[in-house]
Amino acid sequence: MISLTVLDADGISHTVEAKPGLTVMEALRAAGLPLKAACGGSLACATCHVIIAEKDFVRVGPPSEDEEDMLDQGFDVNRTSRLACQIKVSSDIDGLSIRFPRQS
Amino acid sequence: MSRHAQTDVVIIGAGPIGLSAIFACGHLGMRCHVIEALSDVGGQCTALYPEKPIYDIPGFPAIAAGELIARLMAQAAPFAPTFHLGQQAVKLTRAGDILSVEMSSGSTIAARAVIIAAGGGAFGPNRPPLAGIERLEGTSVHYWVKDTAAFTGKRIVIAGGGDSAVDWAIALSEHAQSITLVHRRERFRCAPASLQKLDELTRRGLIALKVPYQLAALQAEAGKLEAIEIGHIDGQREWLEAEHLLAFYGIASDLGPLRDFGVGLSEEQILVDPATMETSERSVFAVGDISLYPSKQKLIVTGFAEAVTAARTVYERIFPDRPFHFQHSTDRGPPQLQPAQ
Ligand SMILES: Cc1cc2nc3c(=O)[nH]c(=O)nc-3n(C[C@H](O)[C@H](O)[C@H](O)COP(=O)(O)OP(=O)(O)OC[C@H]3O[C@@H](n4cnc5c(N)ncnc54)[C@H](O)[C@@H]3O)c2cc1C
Ligand code: FES
């Protein structure tokens, strides 16, 4: 199991155990966290937007050009923003810290 | 100005599954009215990926999503469905066996069964999460432009990075007192010709660019927008005085009023009995992406089968005195509007 630390929009921290092979979006939803993921991971919305802790960003790397384009539909987008459905759970991201965007 | 229509079945949502439900019901002799929030049919297939090929529809090794919708429309046509486009289903009421669905126009449709095929909810503009924005919509905050005259001589902030944002910045630069285009990064996703025009107008001072900036807050007085706070991606904030905000962040879906239809929900989905697709409310069914039961998969093929399953129980609800007579389409012959035997 891969462990992720997630700060939700209310500032509450959660530890999520994620199965390798899933996407981070699937892992967060499986853990019951409120991530809408409206398009089911097909890179057609920005409702799975998360912000990676700066220190961890090198481990996930920058978004692809298509992902950047979809991020244009997100809010509270940051230099370390990613769409969670585009990040694979693997040992490379064990211990990753992420947060949800602000709601208002 | 409310009007009333009557039919056998009201279908909420004209995505692929709602369209397939017209056939499933028509095949059993039932007429349908279909309510769709967008001005076009096709749901996600039309609104999000019309050009993309779909590979997992049995019998079609590959079919573009838009083409699938065109074919579903052709297949439904013999059953003469009535479409209410650009209308949201906002309320469900019941009087005995009659269900009434109210639309955003105020008109209602009475039927003996309702099939909710609403996907992830009604599609509408992707609204920036800014405090107080809803109260300003239609007056100071806009998601489309109906009448350019309303912007003559005004200070306008346009937000977004796609064709709509860039094209409206260009078009309104002739009429407005000032245009500020706010986008979260330097790059715009738009036609090369528009980009060139944008560069030119920016150089001539007719459009002010604020990149990489995002919307942060709105300030309004007596229901009118006065200023918009924007934040640089690295944190610094500043206020722009403006009478209008045009926000172009694409579309988003929202369950909205469906939450108050009385049907059992789990988060954003409607719980159904998979044997009938009926919800917790008698004669109210849910099919496609919006329905939820154990092992549910949000796929078009699954949704097609769900609509056929629903139609059978819909029939039993509408014609309680007629036995359900199973017939293959090959037996029934070419589809036509006909009373069931
Ligand atoms: C990029 C992408 C690729 C995909 N690829 C595939 C694939 O290869 N294979 C596959 O099987 N599936 C695929 N899907 C998923 C597939 O598109 C959905 O499963 C399908 O569209 C669901 O159909 P639906 O009719 O249930 O809902 P939708 O297509 O979501 O349509 C619902 C409609 O209902 C309307 N509506 C909702 N509420 C109301 C209301 N209150 N009043 C009026 N109208 C309302 C909405 O505006 C919408 O138009 C893909 C999805 C995306 C985004
Ligand atoms: S779930 Fe829609 S882009 Fe990730």
Side-chain angles (χ1 to χ4, degrees):
Chain A
M1 280 291 204
I2 305 303
S3 160
L4 309 173
T5 306
V6 186
L7 206 60
D8 69 21
D10 299 323
I12 299 165
S13 176
H14 307 258
T15 303
V16 171
E17 298 297 323
K19 284 197 184 119
L22 294 182
T23 64
V24 169
M25 178 274 275
E26 289 172 311
L28 299 183
R29 284 187 56 88
L33 291 173
L35 195 69
K36 195 167 174 198
C39 79
S42 51
L43 203 50
C45 71
T47 62
C48 65
H49 170 209
V50 295
I51 296 147
I52 313 291
E54 252 168 69
K55 63 174 171 51
D56 288 338
F57 193 60
V58 285
R59 296 167 63 195
V60 296
S64 68
E65 199 170 315
D66 286 345
E67 188 180 333
E68 279 281 16
D69 286 351
M70 276 328 298
L71 275 166
D72 283 352
Q73 297 192 8
F75 302 106
D76 188 21
V77 179
N78 213 281
R79 292 200 191 276
T80 59
S81 283
R82 289 291 313 264
L83 293 175
C85 70
Q86 303 300 307
I87 309 172
K88 276 262 164 8
V89 174
S90 76
S91 54
D92 294 349
I93 65 162
D94 198 14
L96 197 75
S97 286
I98 63 189
R99 74 166 174 88
F100 286 169
R102 276 185 297 275
Q103 292 302 316
S104 182
Chain B
M1 221 206 36
S2 76
R3 293 188 309 137
H4 303 276
Q6 253 184 328
T7 187
D8 294 324
V9 186
V10 169
I11 298 172
I12 300 174
I17 312 310
L19 296 179
S20 79
I22 302 168
F23 184 93
C25 291
H27 186 61
L28 298 178
M30 300 179 289
R31 283 177 179 266
C32 300
H33 276 233
V34 186
I35 306 172
E36 170 56 53
L38 291 178
S39 53
D40 269 323
V41 301
Q44 295 171 43
C45 293
T46 308
L48 300 179
Y49 62 108
E51 314 280 331
K52 275 198 184 168
I54 304 176
Y55 300 103
D56 58 354
I57 309 292
F60 292 94
I63 181 166
E67 173 66 15
L68 178 67
I69 296 304
R71 288 176 187 239
L72 286 165
M73 284 295 279
Q75 204 165 19
F79 298 114
T82 305
F83 285 96
H84 303 269
L85 300 179
Q87 290 295 321
Q88 204 177 333
V90 292
K91 202 169 160 198
L92 177 68
T93 49
R94 178 191 297 274
D97 282 347
I98 303 298
L99 292 160
S100 291
V101 182
E102 187 179 320
M103 296 185 282
S104 32
S105 64
S107 300
T108 58
I109 311 168
R112 278 177 295 167
V114 171
I115 298 180
I116 304 175
F123 276 119
N126 185 18
R127 168 189 287 139
L130 303 173
I133 193 166
E134 287 174 54
R135 287 194 297 278
L136 299 170
E137 285 171 358
T139 49
S140 311
V141 174
H142 315 266
Y143 304 111
W144 49 79
V145 176
K146 276 198 215 112
D147 176 18
T148 52
F151 301 104
T152 306
K154 305 291 187 200
R155 293 167 298 179
I156 302 169
V157 171
I158 298 181
D163 282 302
S164 306
V166 174
D167 289 348
W168 280 115
I170 294 168
L172 295 176
S173 65
E174 291 171 28
H175 309 277
Q177 181 188 328
S178 71
I179 300 263
T180 309
L181 183 55
V182 177
H183 182 37
R184 69 158 190 104
R185 57 176 172 148
E186 277 80 12
R187 209 180 101 80
F188 287 87
R189 269 172 301 117
C190 64
S194 308
L195 202 57
Q196 233 174 0
K197 186 83 188 158
L198 176 65
D199 272 348
E200 181 204 321
L201 292 169
T202 312
R203 262 184 281 114
R204 285 170 48 203
L206 290 171
I207 296 177
L209 275 191
K210 279 289 182 187
V211 290
Y213 277 86
Q214 293 175 88
L215 302 178
L218 303 176
Q219 183 195 308
E221 184 65 47
K224 283 193 175 152
L225 184 66
E226 293 197 324
I228 298 170
E229 191 184 24
I230 59 171
H232 188 273
I233 195 158
D234 291 326
Q236 315 86 286
R237 296 198 167 190
E238 61 185 271
W239 286 92
L240 304 171
E241 288 183 10
E243 285 87 32
H244 293 281
L245 169 65
L246 272 57
F248 298 111
Y249 291 99
I251 60 167
S253 53
D254 183 12
L255 232 45
L258 291 177
R259 287 200 178 82
D260 304 319
F261 274 30
V263 295
L265 292 167
S266 169
E267 283 185 57
E268 304 275 302
Q269 283 173 288
I270 298 176
L271 298 162
V272 296
D273 172 357
T276 59
M277 303 310 289
E278 200 165 26
T279 67
S280 59
E281 283 290 303
R282 188 178 162 84
S283 302
V284 180
F285 299 78
V287 296
D289 277 12
I290 197 153
S291 65
L292 185 66
Y293 50 83
S295 297
K296 162 78 187 181
Q297 295 191 72
K298 288 187 187 175
L299 284 174
I300 294 168
V301 270
T302 346
F304 287 169
E306 290 163 2
V308 174
T309 301
R312 189 203 152 124
T313 306
V314 168
Y315 179 90
E316 288 173 358
R317 294 279 181 268
I318 294 187
F319 306 113
D321 303 328
R322 290 187 208 164
F324 177 79
H325 168 57
F326 177 85
Q327 214 177 12
H328 282 131
S329 72
T330 43
D331 283 344
R332 200 175 286 266
Q336 52 180 305
L337 199 58
Q338 58 186 7
Q341 291 98 30

